[in-house]
Amino acid sequence: PILWLVVTSFGVDKGPNLSTFFPKAYTLDHYKALLSPDSVNQFPQWMLNTFIVACFTCVISTLFVLMVAYAMSCMRFKARKPLMNIAIILNLFPGFLSMIAVYFIMKQFGLTGTLTGLIIVYSAGSGMGYLIAKGFFDTVSKSLRESAYLEGANEFTVFWKIILPNAKPIVANTAINAFIAPWVDFIFVSVIMKDNYNNYTVAKGLYTMVDKANIYEYYTVFCAGAVVVAVPIVLLFIRLQKYYVAGVAAGASKG
C-alpha cells in the first residue's frame, strides 16, 4: 500500500487509478499543485498548523509525562498508589470516548476552532501516560539522588540536573510519541475545528480532498500530500531511533 501510494502520487491521473498498479506516465504536477493553495487545497497552511501544534504539544506533553513519572517513581506521598491505579484504568479506555465532553468544555472557554484549544486537548491528559517513563526512572540509581540531597539539592534540581541528563532514551521516546500525535489524529481535530478550514491540521485537511465531492479531482494531490506528511516523521524517527528503542526497552522491562 505504501509503494502504491508513492507511485500514485507521481501518476498523471487525477482520480484513483484502479486499472493498473503503476501509472502509465509520471509527473511532478501533483506536488506542484499541492503547494499551490486553492479553494479546496490549503496544504501549506495545514502543514504550518500541524507543525505549530506538534511542537507545542511535544514540549508540554513531554514535561508533563516526565514530571509525573518522576513523582510516581522517586517520591512517596499519600494516595500515590491509588492515583497510579486510576491513571492506568483510565488509559484502558480510548481517548475519543471523551470527545463530546471535551468539545463542550472547549466551547465554554471559547477555544473551539483554535490551535490553542487543540494544543490543550493533546497536552492536558498526557501525564497519565507516565508508565513507561516511570519504569525507566525506576532503573536510575537511587544513590545519585541521595548524594544530591546531601549536597542540599531540592527535588526540582535533582529532576532537572541529575535525572533528565541520565534519561535521554525515555525523553526521546516521550517526545517522539508526543510529536507524532497531532500529525496522525483525525477525531479530535474534527470535533474541535468543525468548519474552521484554515485551522485544520494535515490529517483533517487531506481528508477533505478525498470526500465524494473532490476525490476525482484531488486524489493524486492527496497521495502527494500523504507522502510529504510522512517525510518529517520518518526523518525524526531515523534520527532518534536508538534512543527510542532504548527507552521502550528499559521502561518496559522495569515497569
Side-chain angles (χ1 to χ4, degrees):
I2 296 174
L3 175 61
W4 184 80
L5 180 76
V6 173
V7 296
T8 300
S9 70
F10 291 100
V12 293
D13 300 296
K14 288 186 177 182
N17 176 20
L18 303 179
S19 59
T20 60
F21 186 91
F22 293 99
K24 298 176 181 178
Y26 295 89
T27 179
L28 292 175
D29 289 346
H30 305 306
Y31 287 89
K32 295 176 182 177
L34 185 70
L35 301 177
S36 303
D38 55 31
S39 59
V40 175
N41 169 32
Q42 297 291 328
F43 185 80
Q45 183 63 50
W46 298 335
M47 196 74 172
L48 177 62
N49 294 342
T50 308
F51 184 75
I52 292 172
V53 173
C55 287
F56 278 97
T57 301
C58 179
V59 173
I60 298 171
S61 296
T62 300
L63 287 175
F64 279 2
V65 170
L66 295 177
M67 287 190 292
V68 172
Y70 175 80
M72 296 302 183
S73 175
C74 303
M75 302 173 68
R76 296 296 181 266
F77 51 89
K78 291 182 178 180
R80 171 178 166 271
K81 288 188 176 180
L83 286 174
M84 291 172 59
N85 293 334
I86 290 172
I88 292 173
I89 292 172
L90 290 176
N91 278 331
L92 296 176
F93 298 92
F96 62 80
L97 291 179
S98 64
M99 62 184 179
I100 302 301
V102 168
Y103 172 75
F104 282 106
I105 292 172
M106 292 292 105
K107 187 175 182 180
Q108 289 295 320
F109 287 96
L111 293 172
T112 53
T114 66
L115 297 182
T116 302
L118 208 54
I119 292 170
I120 292 173
V121 168
Y122 291 142
S123 304
S126 59
M128 290 194 297
Y130 70 92
L131 194 59
I132 292 179
K134 176 190 176 298
F136 185 91
F137 288 148
D138 288 342
T139 66
V140 177
S141 175
K142 187 178 180 181
S143 60
L144 287 175
R145 293 186 289 113
E146 292 175 342
S147 299
Y149 295 145
L150 291 175
E151 293 295 330
N154 56 25
E155 291 290 355
F156 179 79
T157 303
V158 172
F159 171 72
W160 192 256
K161 294 187 176 182
I162 296 176
I163 300 298
L164 286 189
N166 289 283
K168 290 182 181 179
I170 200 62
V171 173
N173 175 281
T174 306
I176 290 174
N177 290 332
F179 188 83
I180 291 176
W183 292 80
V184 300
D185 175 67
F186 176 79
I187 295 176
F188 278 109
V189 69
S190 299
V191 173
I192 299 299
M193 289 305 172
K194 289 294 185 180
D195 297 323
N196 195 344
Y197 203 69
N198 290 330
N199 277 353
Y200 282 177
T201 58
V202 287
K204 175 64 175 175
L206 288 176
Y207 178 76
T208 62
M209 294 184 183
V210 290
D211 62 18
K212 60 183 180 181
N214 300 316
I215 187 169
Y216 292 103
E217 288 293 324
Y218 287 90
Y219 186 78
T220 42
V221 178
F222 158 81
C223 293
V227 173
V228 172
V229 166
V231 170
I233 302 301
V234 172
L235 293 178
L236 179 67
F237 186 82
I238 292 174
R239 180 67 180 86
L240 300 177
Q241 183 178 15
K242 61 179 180 179
Y243 296 117
Y244 183 84
V245 174
V248 172
S253 63
K254 185 68 177 180

